[in-house]
Amino acid sequence: MAPPVLTSLVPHTGPAAGTNPVTLNGSQFTGATAVTFGSAAALSYTVNTPSTITATVPPGTGTVNVTVRTPAGLSNTVTYTYAPPPTLTAITPTQGPTSGGTSVVLTGTGLTGTTAVTFGSTPAMSYTVNSATQITAVAPAGTGAVAVTATTVGGTSGPVFFYYLNAPSLLSVSPAQGPTSGGTSVVLTGTGLTGTTAVTFGSSPAASYTVDSATQITAVTPPGSGSVACTVTGPGGGSNSVIYTYVAVPVLTALSPVQGPTGAGAAVTLTGTGLTTTLAVRFSTVPAAFTVLSDATVIAIAPAGPAGPVPVSVTTSGGTSNALAYQRVAPPAI
C-alpha cells in the first residue's frame, strides 16, 4: 500500500486562533490516523473520500507544514499560513452625516486581503484596500457612534469609532435683506452649527463667516441679486435654507414741490424706484419724517434749514440713492 499524497489545501491561510475548516486534497487518504499542522494535531478531521479530508485547524503562527498519516506512512507536506489579525489604529475623518456617503481612510496593519469593512453592523457602501496599512471606505447611513472594523482571513480587527452627526438647521437670517454690492453683516440662527465648513448665499460663498456658537453664525454677504437661499454646511451635511433678499440701490427721479420755506413742516413728494424699504430720508445730513406710499413714492416732511439749495436723498436696505436739490426760500422782508 502506498503512503498518502497531498496536492493542495483549501484555503491555505487562516486566523491564528484556528478553529476554521480546511479541505485537504490528494490521494490514498483511506484509514488516515493523523492530520497535523506543524507539530499540532488538527482539532478534528473527517476522511470524506480517498482523495479529500476535511480538518479543523488548530491555533498557530507563521507558516507550517501540513501532513497526513495513514497505516501506509506519512504524506508529503503542503504549507498553511496563519495570518495575524488585522488592527485598526485611526479613522479620518471621524464624523459625517447620518445619510452616509462620507469617504474615510482607515489606518492599521495586516489589512491586505480585507474581506469586509463594517460600521456597526452595517457593511461599508464600498471600500478599497490601498495597502497593508490603509483602506479607503465609504460610510453607510447610520446614527450615533459606531464601531468600525476590518475583517481579513486573519480575523476581525479591534474597532475605531465613527460618529454620525445630524445636519445643521437654520431658523432665520437677520437682517434678511441688503444691498446687491454685498458686505452686509448678518446673523444666522439655528441648531447644530458647530463645525460649519461653508456658508452660501445662492451659489456664492459668504465673504467671511464666524461660528459664534452651536446656534449662531455671523456672516458677511457676497454680492448678489434677487432673493437667494442661504444655507450652511457642516460635518453632518447641508442645512435647510432661509431666504436673503438683495435690494437694488434706490433711485430718485423727482421732488414735488422742488422748493419750500426755511421752516419745518413742508410736505415733499419723492418719486423714484426701489423705495419700498426706505429707512431714512435726509435733507443734507438732517433726517426727515417720512411715509412710504409705494415702491415709487415717499412723502417726507422737510426739516427747517437755511435758505438755499439742499440735497435730498433716500436710504433703503439697498443703499443710498442719488440726491436731488430742494430749494429753501427765505420769507419776504418788509
Side-chain angles (χ1 to χ4, degrees):
M1 180 181 293
V5 176
L6 273 177
T7 56
S8 66
L9 191 62
V10 181
H12 57 81
T13 61
T19 74
N20 54 299
V22 297
T23 298
L24 289 73
N25 298 304
S27 59
Q28 284 84 250
F29 291 159
T30 301
T33 57
V35 175
T36 58
F37 289 73
S39 60
L43 297 180
S44 65
Y45 67 91
T46 301
V47 179
N48 304 312
T49 69
S51 60
T52 63
I53 293 174
T54 300
T56 302
V57 181
T61 58
T63 298
V64 297
N65 291 321
V66 179
T67 59
V68 174
R69 181 177 292 278
T70 69
L74 186 66
S75 72
N76 60 305
T77 63
V78 293
T79 58
Y80 179 83
T81 300
Y82 288 98
T87 65
L88 288 180
T89 57
I91 180 172
T92 305
T94 59
Q95 55 191 17
T98 57
S99 58
T102 303
S103 179
V104 300
V105 174
L106 298 167
T107 304
T109 61
L111 303 179
T112 301
T114 292
T115 56
V117 174
T118 58
F119 288 69
S121 59
T122 307
M125 295 176 65
S126 64
Y127 67 90
T128 301
V129 180
N130 305 320
S131 68
T133 60
Q134 186 181 91
I135 294 173
T136 300
V138 177
T143 57
V146 297
V148 181
T149 60
T151 300
T152 69
V153 293
T156 297
S157 71
V160 290
F161 287 89
F162 184 79
Y163 301 87
Y164 287 100
L165 303 179
N166 292 323
S169 175
L170 285 180
L171 299 176
S172 65
V173 55
S174 180
Q177 53 192 17
T180 56
S181 59
T184 303
S185 179
V186 299
V187 174
L188 299 165
T189 57
T191 59
L193 304 182
T194 301
T196 291
T197 56
V199 177
T200 58
F201 290 78
S203 59
S204 301
S208 65
Y209 68 90
T210 301
V211 180
D212 306 316
S213 69
T215 60
Q216 180 176 295
I217 293 173
T218 301
V220 177
T221 62
S225 62
S227 293
V228 298
C230 177
T231 61
V232 300
T233 302
S239 73
N240 60 307
S241 63
V242 290
I243 301 301
Y244 180 82
T245 301
Y246 286 99
V247 180
V249 177
V251 176
L252 285 181
T253 56
L255 302 179
S256 180
V258 294
Q259 60 183 19
T262 55
V268 181
T269 300
L270 289 71
T271 304
T273 58
L275 305 181
T276 299
T277 62
T278 294
L279 302 173
V281 176
R282 290 183 175 85
F283 284 67
S284 185
T285 59
V286 180
F290 66 92
T291 301
V292 178
L293 300 183
S294 69
D295 190 63
T297 307
V298 171
I299 303 293
I301 305 301
V310 59
V312 179
S313 63
V314 173
T315 299
T316 70
S317 298
T320 299
S321 72
N322 57 307
L324 297 179
Y326 177 77
Q327 184 74 34
R328 287 194 179 101
V329 179
I334 298 175

